[in-house]
């Protein structure tokens, strides 16, 4: 596996987690989600990545959507967490914290003599 393949694998799960985080407090529309993720280059997504992921999350009932009128253009589709989405995000938060803690402990351990 080369670094590009590794990055692709890591990003898949992290992007889903970040999208759920972004819609957990405020409903957001697709372009807005993409614009926020653009602020962090490793998380930047294209429409070809974002919208299939949103469709999958809708199909799995982790998010729901509604159309709302926009004062600056056509109506926008806003995404919200469902109860299942809130439960999934809570589980992801728990697992993410354990994962980060484990990685940090390994980083410290690698320098220790056994």
């Amino acid at each position: 596996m080369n670094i590009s393949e590794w990055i692709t694998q890591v990003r898949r799960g992290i992007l889903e987690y970040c999208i759920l985080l972004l819609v957990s407090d405020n409903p957001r529309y697709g372009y807005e989600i993409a614009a926020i993720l653009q602020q962090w280059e490793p998380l930047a997504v294209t429409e070809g990545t974002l919208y299939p992921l949103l469709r999958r999350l809708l199909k799995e009932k982790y998010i729901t959507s509604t159309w709302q009128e926009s004062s600056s253009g056509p109506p926008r589709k806003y995404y919200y967490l469902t109860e299942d989405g809130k439960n999934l995000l809570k589980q992801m938060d728990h697992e993410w914290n354990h994962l980060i803690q484990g990685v940090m402990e390994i980083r410290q351990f690698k320098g220790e003599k056994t």
Side-chain angles (χ1 to χ4, degrees), residues 17 91-103:
Y17 179 50
Q91 293 171 24
M92 287 175 146
D93 278 336
H94 178 78
E95 293 302 323
W96 179 254
N97 289 329
H98 275 110
L99 179 64
I100 293 300
Q101 180 182 353
V103 170

Side-chain angles (χ1 to χ4, degrees), residues 37-55:
L37 292 172
Q38 289 288 121
Q39 295 177 44
W40 298 276
E41 193 232 327
L43 299 174
V45 293
T46 63
E47 289 180 8
T49 298
L50 178 61
Y51 288 103
L53 182 51
L54 289 169
R55 280 192 298 276

